[in-house]
CSV table of all heavy atoms in Angstrom, one decimal:
chain,number,residue,atom,x,y,z
A,208,TYR,N,0.9,-1.3,0.0
A,208,TYR,CA,0.0,0.1,0.0
A,208,TYR,C,1.0,1.2,-0.1
A,208,TYR,O,2.0,1.3,0.6
A,208,TYR,CB,-0.9,0.1,1.2
A,208,TYR,CG,-2.0,-1.1,1.4
A,208,TYR,CD1,-1.7,-2.1,2.1
A,208,TYR,CD2,-3.0,-1.1,0.5
A,208,TYR,CE1,-2.5,-3.3,2.2
A,208,TYR,CE2,-4.0,-2.2,0.6
A,208,TYR,CZ,-3.7,-3.2,1.4
A,208,TYR,OH,-4.6,-4.3,1.6
A,209,SER,N,0.4,2.1,-0.8
A,209,SER,CA,1.3,3.4,-0.7
A,209,SER,C,0.1,4.6,-0.7
A,209,SER,O,-1.0,4.5,-1.2
A,209,SER,CB,1.9,3.7,-2.0
A,209,SER,OG,1.2,3.8,-3.1
A,210,TYR,N,0.5,5.5,0.2
A,210,TYR,CA,-0.5,6.5,0.7
A,210,TYR,C,0.1,8.0,0.2
A,210,TYR,O,1.3,8.2,0.4
A,210,TYR,CB,-0.9,6.7,2.0
A,210,TYR,CG,-1.5,5.4,2.5
A,210,TYR,CD1,-0.9,4.4,3.2
A,210,TYR,CD2,-2.9,5.2,2.2
A,210,TYR,CE1,-1.6,3.4,3.5
A,210,TYR,CE2,-3.6,4.2,2.8
A,210,TYR,CZ,-3.0,3.2,3.4
A,210,TYR,OH,-3.6,2.0,3.8
A,211,THR,N,-0.6,8.7,-0.4
A,211,THR,CA,-0.2,10.0,-0.7
A,211,THR,C,-1.1,11.0,0.0
A,211,THR,O,-2.2,10.9,0.1
A,211,THR,CB,-0.2,10.4,-2.3
A,211,THR,OG1,-1.4,10.3,-2.7
A,211,THR,CG2,0.9,9.6,-2.9
A,212,THR,N,-0.5,12.1,0.7
A,212,THR,CA,-1.2,13.1,1.3
A,212,THR,C,-1.0,14.4,0.7
A,212,THR,O,0.1,14.6,0.2
A,212,THR,CB,-1.0,13.1,2.9
A,212,THR,OG1,0.5,13.4,3.0
A,212,THR,CG2,-1.2,11.8,3.5
A,213,THR,N,-2.0,15.2,0.6
A,213,THR,CA,-1.9,16.6,0.3
A,213,THR,C,-2.4,17.5,1.3
A,213,THR,O,-3.2,17.2,2.1
A,213,THR,CB,-2.7,16.8,-1.0
A,213,THR,OG1,-4.1,16.5,-0.8
A,213,THR,CG2,-2.3,16.0,-2.2
A,214,THR,N,-1.7,18.5,1.4
A,214,THR,CA,-2.1,19.5,2.4
A,214,THR,C,-2.5,20.7,1.6
A,214,THR,O,-1.9,21.1,0.5
A,214,THR,CB,-1.0,19.8,3.4
A,214,THR,OG1,0.2,20.4,2.6
A,214,THR,CG2,-0.6,18.7,4.2
A,215,VAL,N,-3.3,21.6,2.3
A,215,VAL,CA,-3.8,22.9,1.6
A,215,VAL,C,-3.0,23.9,2.3
A,215,VAL,O,-2.9,24.0,3.5
A,215,VAL,CB,-5.3,23.0,1.9
A,215,VAL,CG1,-5.7,24.4,1.5
A,215,VAL,CG2,-6.1,22.0,1.4
A,216,SER,N,-2.3,24.7,1.4
A,216,SER,CA,-1.5,25.8,1.9
A,216,SER,C,-2.2,26.8,2.5
A,216,SER,O,-3.5,27.0,2.2
A,216,SER,CB,-0.5,26.2,0.7
A,216,SER,OG,-1.3,26.8,-0.2
A,217,GLU,N,-1.6,27.7,3.2
A,217,GLU,CA,-2.2,28.9,3.8
A,217,GLU,C,-2.8,29.9,2.8
A,217,GLU,O,-3.9,30.3,3.0
A,217,GLU,CB,-1.2,29.6,4.7
A,217,GLU,CG,-1.1,28.7,6.1
A,217,GLU,CD,-0.2,29.5,6.9
A,217,GLU,OE1,0.0,30.8,6.9
A,217,GLU,OE2,0.5,28.9,7.9
A,218,PRO,N,-2.1,30.1,1.6
A,218,PRO,CA,-2.9,30.9,0.7
A,218,PRO,C,-4.0,30.3,0.1
A,218,PRO,O,-5.0,31.1,-0.2
A,218,PRO,CB,-1.7,31.3,-0.4
A,218,PRO,CG,-0.4,30.9,0.3
A,218,PRO,CD,-0.7,29.8,1.4
A,219,ASP,N,-3.9,29.0,-0.2
A,219,ASP,CA,-5.1,28.4,-0.7
A,219,ASP,C,-6.3,28.5,0.3
A,219,ASP,O,-7.5,28.7,-0.1
A,219,ASP,CB,-4.9,26.9,-1.1
A,219,ASP,CG,-3.9,26.8,-2.3
A,219,ASP,OD1,-3.8,27.8,-3.1
A,219,ASP,OD2,-3.3,25.8,-2.4
A,220,MET,N,-6.0,28.2,1.5
A,220,MET,CA,-7.0,28.2,2.5
A,220,MET,C,-7.7,29.6,2.7
A,220,MET,O,-8.8,29.8,2.9
A,220,MET,CB,-6.4,27.8,3.8
A,220,MET,CG,-7.5,27.6,5.0
A,220,MET,SD,-8.9,26.5,4.7
A,220,MET,CE,-8.2,25.0,4.9
A,221,ALA,N,-6.7,30.5,2.6
A,221,ALA,CA,-7.3,31.9,2.6
A,221,ALA,C,-8.2,32.3,1.5
A,221,ALA,O,-9.0,33.0,1.7
A,221,ALA,CB,-6.0,33.0,2.7
A,222,ALA,N,-7.9,31.7,0.4
A,222,ALA,CA,-8.9,31.9,-0.8
A,222,ALA,C,-10.1,31.2,-0.7
A,222,ALA,O,-11.2,31.4,-1.2
A,222,ALA,CB,-8.1,31.5,-2.0
A,223,ILE,N,-10.0,29.9,-0.1
A,223,ILE,CA,-11.3,29.1,0.1
A,223,ILE,C,-12.2,29.5,1.1
A,223,ILE,O,-13.4,29.5,0.9
A,223,ILE,CB,-10.8,27.6,0.3
A,223,ILE,CG1,-10.1,27.0,-0.9
A,223,ILE,CG2,-12.0,26.6,0.6
A,223,ILE,CD1,-9.4,25.7,-0.7
A,224,LEU,N,-11.7,29.9,2.4
A,224,LEU,CA,-12.5,30.2,3.5
A,224,LEU,C,-13.5,31.2,3.2
A,224,LEU,O,-14.8,31.0,3.7
A,224,LEU,CB,-11.5,30.6,4.6
A,224,LEU,CG,-12.1,30.6,6.1
A,224,LEU,CD1,-12.6,29.2,6.4
A,224,LEU,CD2,-11.1,31.0,7.0
A,225,PRO,N,-13.3,32.3,2.8
A,225,PRO,CA,-14.4,33.3,2.5
A,225,PRO,C,-15.5,32.7,1.7
A,225,PRO,O,-16.7,32.9,2.0
A,225,PRO,CB,-13.8,34.6,1.9
A,225,PRO,CG,-12.3,34.4,2.2
A,225,PRO,CD,-12.1,32.9,2.2
A,226,GLY,N,-15.2,31.9,0.6
A,226,GLY,CA,-16.3,31.4,-0.1
A,226,GLY,C,-17.2,30.3,0.7
A,226,GLY,O,-18.4,30.2,0.6
A,227,LEU,N,-16.4,29.6,1.7
A,227,LEU,CA,-17.2,28.6,2.4
A,227,LEU,C,-18.1,29.4,3.4
A,227,LEU,O,-19.2,28.9,3.7
A,227,LEU,CB,-16.2,27.8,3.1
A,227,LEU,CG,-15.4,26.8,2.4
A,227,LEU,CD1,-14.5,26.0,3.3
A,227,LEU,CD2,-16.4,25.7,1.8
A,228,LEU,N,-17.6,30.5,4.0
A,228,LEU,CA,-18.3,31.3,4.9
A,228,LEU,C,-19.5,31.9,4.3
A,228,LEU,O,-20.8,31.9,4.7
A,228,LEU,CB,-17.6,32.3,5.6
A,228,LEU,CG,-16.5,31.8,6.6
A,228,LEU,CD1,-15.6,33.0,7.1
A,228,LEU,CD2,-17.2,31.1,7.8
A,229,ILE,N,-19.4,32.5,3.1
A,229,ILE,CA,-20.4,33.2,2.3
A,229,ILE,C,-21.5,32.2,2.0
A,229,ILE,O,-22.7,32.4,2.0
A,229,ILE,CB,-19.8,34.0,1.2
A,229,ILE,CG1,-19.1,35.3,1.7
A,229,ILE,CG2,-21.0,34.5,0.3
A,229,ILE,CD1,-18.3,36.1,0.8
A,230,GLY,N,-20.9,30.9,1.4
A,230,GLY,CA,-21.7,29.9,1.0
A,230,GLY,C,-22.6,29.4,2.1
A,230,GLY,O,-23.9,29.1,2.1
A,231,GLY,N,-22.1,29.2,3.3
A,231,GLY,CA,-22.8,28.7,4.5
A,231,GLY,C,-23.9,29.7,4.8
A,231,GLY,O,-25.0,29.3,5.4
A,232,LEU,N,-23.6,31.0,4.9
A,232,LEU,CA,-24.6,32.0,5.4
A,232,LEU,C,-25.7,32.0,4.3
A,232,LEU,O,-26.9,32.3,4.8
A,232,LEU,CB,-23.9,33.6,5.5
A,232,LEU,CG,-22.9,33.6,6.7
A,232,LEU,CD1,-22.3,34.9,6.6
A,232,LEU,CD2,-23.6,33.4,8.0
A,233,ILE,N,-25.5,32.0,3.0
A,233,ILE,CA,-26.5,32.0,2.0
A,233,ILE,C,-27.4,30.8,2.2
A,233,ILE,O,-28.6,30.8,2.2
A,233,ILE,CB,-25.9,32.1,0.6
A,233,ILE,CG1,-25.3,33.4,0.4
A,233,ILE,CG2,-26.9,31.8,-0.4
A,233,ILE,CD1,-24.6,33.6,-0.9
A,234,GLY,N,-26.7,29.6,2.5
A,234,GLY,CA,-27.4,28.3,2.7
A,234,GLY,C,-28.3,28.5,3.9
A,234,GLY,O,-29.5,28.1,3.9
A,235,LEU,N,-27.8,29.0,5.0
A,235,LEU,CA,-28.5,29.2,6.2
A,235,LEU,C,-29.9,30.2,6.0
A,235,LEU,O,-30.9,29.8,6.5
A,235,LEU,CB,-27.8,29.9,7.3
A,235,LEU,CG,-28.4,30.1,8.7
A,235,LEU,CD1,-28.9,28.8,9.3
A,235,LEU,CD2,-27.5,30.8,9.5
A,236,ALA,N,-29.6,31.2,5.3
A,236,ALA,CA,-30.6,32.1,5.0
A,236,ALA,C,-31.6,31.5,4.2
A,236,ALA,O,-32.9,31.7,4.4
A,236,ALA,CB,-30.1,33.5,4.3
A,237,PHE,N,-31.2,30.8,3.2
A,237,PHE,CA,-32.2,30.1,2.2
A,237,PHE,C,-33.0,29.1,3.0
A,237,PHE,O,-34.2,29.1,2.9
A,237,PHE,CB,-31.5,29.4,1.2
A,237,PHE,CG,-32.3,28.7,0.2
A,237,PHE,CD1,-33.0,29.4,-0.8
A,237,PHE,CD2,-32.4,27.3,0.1
A,237,PHE,CE1,-33.8,28.9,-1.7
A,237,PHE,CE2,-33.1,26.6,-0.8
A,237,PHE,CZ,-33.9,27.4,-1.7
A,238,GLY,N,-32.3,28.3,4.0
A,238,GLY,CA,-33.1,27.4,4.8
A,238,GLY,C,-34.1,28.1,5.7
A,238,GLY,O,-35.1,27.6,5.8
A,239,LEU,N,-33.7,29.3,6.2
A,239,LEU,CA,-34.7,29.9,7.1
A,239,LEU,C,-35.8,30.4,6.4
A,239,LEU,O,-37.1,30.3,6.9
A,239,LEU,CB,-34.0,31.1,7.9
A,239,LEU,CG,-33.0,30.6,8.9
A,239,LEU,CD1,-32.3,32.0,9.4
A,239,LEU,CD2,-33.8,30.0,10.1
A,240,VAL,N,-35.7,30.9,5.1
A,240,VAL,CA,-36.8,31.4,4.4
A,240,VAL,C,-37.7,30.2,4.0
A,240,VAL,O,-38.9,30.3,4.0
A,240,VAL,CB,-36.4,32.1,3.1
A,240,VAL,CG1,-37.4,32.3,2.0
A,240,VAL,CG2,-35.6,33.4,3.5
A,241,ILE,N,-37.2,29.1,3.5
A,241,ILE,CA,-38.0,28.0,3.2
A,241,ILE,C,-38.7,27.5,4.4
A,241,ILE,O,-39.9,27.3,4.2
A,241,ILE,CB,-37.0,26.9,2.7
A,241,ILE,CG1,-36.4,27.2,1.4
A,241,ILE,CG2,-37.8,25.4,2.5
A,241,ILE,CD1,-37.4,27.5,0.2
A,242,ASN,N,-38.1,27.4,5.6
A,242,ASN,CA,-38.9,27.0,6.8
A,242,ASN,C,-40.0,28.0,7.1
A,242,ASN,O,-41.0,27.5,7.5
A,242,ASN,CB,-37.8,26.9,7.9
A,242,ASN,CG,-38.4,26.2,9.2
A,242,ASN,OD1,-39.1,25.3,9.1
A,242,ASN,ND2,-38.1,26.9,10.3
A,243,TYR,N,-39.7,29.1,7.0
A,243,TYR,CA,-40.8,30.3,7.1
A,243,TYR,C,-41.8,30.0,6.3
A,243,TYR,O,-43.1,29.9,6.7
A,243,TYR,CB,-40.3,31.5,7.2
A,243,TYR,CG,-41.3,32.6,7.2
A,243,TYR,CD1,-42.0,32.9,8.3
A,243,TYR,CD2,-41.7,33.3,6.0
A,243,TYR,CE1,-42.9,34.0,8.4
A,243,TYR,CE2,-42.7,34.3,6.1
A,243,TYR,CZ,-43.3,34.5,7.2
A,243,TYR,OH,-44.4,35.5,7.4
A,244,VAL,N,-41.6,30.0,5.0
A,244,VAL,CA,-42.7,29.8,4.0
A,244,VAL,C,-43.5,28.4,4.3
A,244,VAL,O,-44.7,28.4,4.1
A,244,VAL,CB,-42.1,29.7,2.5
A,244,VAL,CG1,-43.1,29.2,1.4
A,244,VAL,CG2,-41.5,31.1,2.2
A,245,LEU,N,-43.0,27.4,4.7
A,245,LEU,CA,-43.6,26.1,5.0
A,245,LEU,C,-44.4,26.2,6.3
A,245,LEU,O,-45.4,25.5,6.2
A,245,LEU,CB,-42.6,24.9,4.9
A,245,LEU,CG,-42.0,24.5,3.6
A,245,LEU,CD1,-40.8,23.5,3.8
A,245,LEU,CD2,-42.9,24.2,2.6
A,246,THR,N,-43.9,26.9,7.2
A,246,THR,CA,-44.7,26.7,8.5
A,246,THR,C,-45.4,28.0,9.0
A,246,THR,O,-46.2,27.8,9.9
A,246,THR,CB,-43.6,26.4,9.7
A,246,THR,OG1,-42.7,27.5,9.8
A,246,THR,CG2,-42.8,25.2,9.4
A,247,HIS,N,-45.4,29.1,8.4
A,247,HIS,CA,-46.0,30.3,8.9
A,247,HIS,C,-47.6,30.1,8.9
A,247,HIS,O,-48.3,30.6,9.8
A,247,HIS,CB,-45.6,31.5,8.2
A,247,HIS,CG,-46.4,31.8,6.9
A,247,HIS,ND1,-46.0,31.1,5.9
A,247,HIS,CD2,-47.4,32.6,6.7
A,247,HIS,CE1,-46.8,31.5,4.9
A,247,HIS,NE2,-47.7,32.4,5.3
A,248,LYS,N,-48.2,29.3,8.1
A,248,LYS,CA,-49.6,29.1,8.0
A,248,LYS,C,-50.2,28.5,9.3
A,248,LYS,O,-51.2,28.6,9.8
A,248,LYS,CB,-50.0,28.3,6.8
A,248,LYS,CG,-50.0,29.2,5.6
A,248,LYS,CD,-51.2,30.1,5.5
A,248,LYS,CE,-51.3,30.7,4.1
A,248,LYS,NZ,-52.4,31.6,4.1
A,249,VAL,N,-49.3,27.4,10.0
A,249,VAL,CA,-49.8,26.9,11.1
A,249,VAL,C,-50.0,27.9,12.1
A,249,VAL,O,-50.9,27.7,12.9
A,249,VAL,CB,-48.7,25.8,11.6
A,249,VAL,CG1,-49.0,25.2,12.9
A,249,VAL,CG2,-48.6,24.7,10.5
A,250,TYR,N,-49.0,28.9,12.4
A,250,TYR,CA,-49.2,29.9,13.4
A,250,TYR,C,-50.5,30.7,13.1
A,250,TYR,O,-51.0,31.1,14.1
A,250,TYR,CB,-47.8,30.7,13.3
A,250,TYR,CG,-46.7,29.9,13.8
A,250,TYR,CD1,-45.9,29.2,12.9
A,250,TYR,CD2,-46.4,29.9,15.1
A,250,TYR,CE1,-44.7,28.4,13.3
A,250,TYR,CE2,-45.2,29.2,15.6
A,250,TYR,CZ,-44.4,28.5,14.7
A,250,TYR,OH,-43.3,27.7,15.0
A,251,GLU,N,-50.6,31.1,11.7
A,251,GLU,CA,-51.8,31.8,11.6
A,251,GLU,C,-53.1,31.0,11.8
A,251,GLU,O,-54.1,31.7,12.4
A,251,GLU,CB,-51.7,32.3,10.1
A,251,GLU,CG,-50.7,33.3,9.8
A,251,GLU,CD,-50.6,33.7,8.4
A,251,GLU,OE1,-51.2,33.0,7.5
A,251,GLU,OE2,-49.8,34.6,8.1
A,252,LYS,N,-53.2,29.8,11.5
A,252,LYS,CA,-54.4,29.0,11.8
A,252,LYS,C,-54.5,28.8,13.4
A,252,LYS,O,-55.7,28.8,13.8
A,252,LYS,CB,-54.2,27.6,11.3
A,252,LYS,CG,-54.5,27.6,9.8
A,252,LYS,CD,-54.6,26.0,9.3
A,252,LYS,CE,-54.9,25.9,7.9
A,252,LYS,NZ,-55.0,24.5,7.5
């Protein structure tokens, strides 16, 4: 067996991290909006 490992360099991580954070926040906001649209009628009833 032979294994090769790769590491992400600091400049690469600095380039990836903002995209991950922004994508996560957009996903969270999208999930909250979908949850609201699906459930708000129960509260009104």
Side-chain angles (χ1 to χ4, degrees):
Y208 297 102
S209 63
Y210 298 97
T211 56
T212 59
T213 58
T214 58
V215 178
S216 65
E217 287 183 24
D219 290 342
M220 184 57 77
I223 294 171
L224 194 58
L227 290 174
L228 291 174
I229 291 170
L232 289 174
I233 290 171
L235 178 66
F237 183 72
L239 287 173
V240 168
I241 294 297
N242 187 44
Y243 171 72
V244 168
L245 292 177
T246 60
H247 80 281
K248 283 285 192 186
V249 171
Y250 294 86
E251 290 176 351
K252 281 186 177 183

